[in-house]
Amino acid sequence: MKNNPLKFGVLGCGFWSRFQISGWRELEGVEVVALYNRTRSKAEKLAAEFDVPKVYDTSEELIADPELDFVDIITDPVTHADFVHLAVKHKVPVICQKPMARSYEEGKKMVEACAEAGVPFMVHENFRWQAPIRKAKELLDEGIIGKPFRGNLSFCSGFPVFDNQPSLAQLEQFILTDMGTHTLDLARFFFGEAQSLYCQTHKIHKNIKGEDVASVIMKMGEVACFVQLSYASILEKDPFPETLVFIEGEDGSLEIGPNYWIRITNRKETRSFRAPPPRYQWADPDYDIVHASIVPTNANWLESFRNNLEPETSGMDNLKTLKLVYAAYESASTGKAVEVTS
Ligand code: 89Y
């Protein structure tokens, strides 16, 4: 494998690309060989930093490069559909950041186009690959708290998120597309598919376009799952970027608390231990657990790609998460619960 690494190109050289490329470099047998960015100078800077041999002027030139085994789209959501369709045109396997698309219908067309052309497609959904989340899921599957009946997933913070990612302030639909994609996916990861949901949103920051607070309650089989999102929370200890989890089951409860503490309580006792993510030198300490989870997400793509398997967060799978995101907007705007059809 070392003699014949997979070669890929990156579209988009903004804030996230540096971490994504560093995440790839943790893995064997894969190498970034081409970059494209709308502002070429940014791509050139990144190419010099990471020793990437080719910089292209257009997205299509990069995607058409015959040397590439796949492309990694790390641009804003507005370009995702066009770039995925270009990848389909050139039959190049493709990874795309979340949110996959700006509507469910747009995402569905992307997924269908990839399926029809036989082009492997994964959405880079990394939250389910975070160390404490993975551990919690393993314990739930072992039946450590019996059958779950309620889940509470909370991503509430006052972190100045617009400093690093100013484009988020310009989104008409903000927190559900940016963070709802992650947390609603976690809900699916833990509890399976939703049958209905109800959502309320708020806009607390005055100088942004979209909502920065969302509260979603879902019926997921026999589990009632509450997902709380906020970038307007004023807290003594801000947990950013950790997702806090509390799950109740017939035989106990499981908590992922701040600082990666997992607590399991049954009728006799509480046991607690930490499940911290690996610390990578290149990761921004402010985003530690999020950046660390890029590595296993990319590893899942590589393994699937090499063995012709579907990645965990394939486009097809992630469309179900996208459906929840846009069902949440529908509920928030109508004030009514929404049935989620499969
Ligand atoms: O874009 C978001 C993500 O994927 O993780 C945190 C973030 O950077 C800001 O909400």
Side-chain angles (χ1 to χ4, degrees), residues 192-207:
E193 303 309 329
Q195 290 75 52
S196 63
L197 66 71
Y198 173 74
C199 173
Q200 287 184 9
T201 58
H202 295 80
K203 183 169 92 133
I204 305 300
H205 279 83
K206 300 285 174 272
N207 52 348

Side-chain angles (χ1 to χ4, degrees), residues 135-305:
K135 186 68 200 168
K137 169 74 169 147
E138 191 188 304
L139 294 170
L140 282 181
D141 288 351
E142 281 169 13
I144 197 144
I145 59 163
K147 206 167 143 203
F149 58 84
R150 186 155 55 190
N152 198 320
L153 311 185
S154 165
F155 188 96
C156 295
S157 166
F159 185 77
V161 66
F162 309 111
D163 291 357
N164 288 330
Q165 293 169 272
S167 63
L168 296 178
Q170 301 310 318
L171 295 175
E172 300 283 349
Q173 297 182 316
F174 165 44
I175 206 164
L176 282 163
T177 58
D178 178 57
M179 282 308 308
T181 39
H182 289 312
T183 42
L184 294 169
D185 190 68
L186 288 182
R188 288 187 52 236
F189 181 57
F190 284 132
F191 308 122
E193 303 309 329
Q195 290 75 52
S196 63
L197 66 71
Y198 173 74
C199 173
Q200 287 184 9
T201 58
H202 295 80
K203 183 169 92 133
I204 305 300
H205 279 83
K206 300 285 174 272
N207 52 348
I208 65 170
K209 291 204 174 139
E211 81 294 347
D212 52 2
V213 174
S215 311
V216 186
I217 175 103
M218 292 183 284
K219 173 170 167 44
M220 307 187 93
E222 290 176 40
V223 177
C225 180
F226 187 36
V227 172
Q228 303 177 67
L229 300 170
S230 160
Y231 270 121
S233 300
I234 299 162
L235 304 164
E236 185 191 359
K237 288 193 180 138
D238 197 308
F240 182 88
E242 295 173 44
T243 309
L244 307 183
V245 174
F246 186 65
I247 300 170
E248 291 177 83
E250 287 175 353
D251 301 325
S253 63
L254 181 154
E255 182 187 358
I256 303 177
N259 210 8
Y260 323 123
W261 276 99
I262 297 189
R263 268 180 210 85
I264 318 275
T265 301
N266 60 25
R267 289 186 183 85
K268 287 198 197 121
E269 60 179 4
T270 294
R271 279 188 298 125
S272 45
F273 59 94
R274 289 183 77 235
R279 169 101 260 287
Y280 295 108
Q281 276 304 311
W282 48 264
D284 179 338
D286 279 348
Y287 292 77
D288 226 9
I289 189 167
V290 176
H291 285 166
S293 64
I294 290 172
V295 179
T297 312
N298 291 354
N300 182 242
W301 165 266
L302 284 186
E303 198 200 331
S304 315
F305 190 81

Side-chain angles (χ1 to χ4, degrees), residues 11-76:
L11 297 136
C13 300
F15 173 68
W16 215 256
S17 57
R18 170 166 284 101
F19 305 109
Q20 182 76 1
I21 293 176
S22 303
W24 282 116
R25 299 216 305 187
E26 294 293 331
L27 300 167
E28 297 235 326
V30 64
E31 157 187 333
V32 55
V33 295
L35 300 179
Y36 157 76
N37 194 67
R38 201 176 38 189
T39 313
R40 188 185 163 100
S41 56
K42 271 189 164 182
E44 278 168 353
K45 194 163 170 254
L46 206 67
E49 187 180 333
F50 287 97
D51 218 3
V52 182
K54 290 182 264 188
V55 170
Y56 284 105
D57 283 318
T58 70
S59 49
E60 185 149 14
E61 277 176 278
L62 179 139
I63 290 172
D65 179 339
E67 201 192 5
L68 302 185
D69 293 297
F70 64 91
V71 291
D72 192 359
I73 301 172
I74 320 178
T75 51
D76 285 341

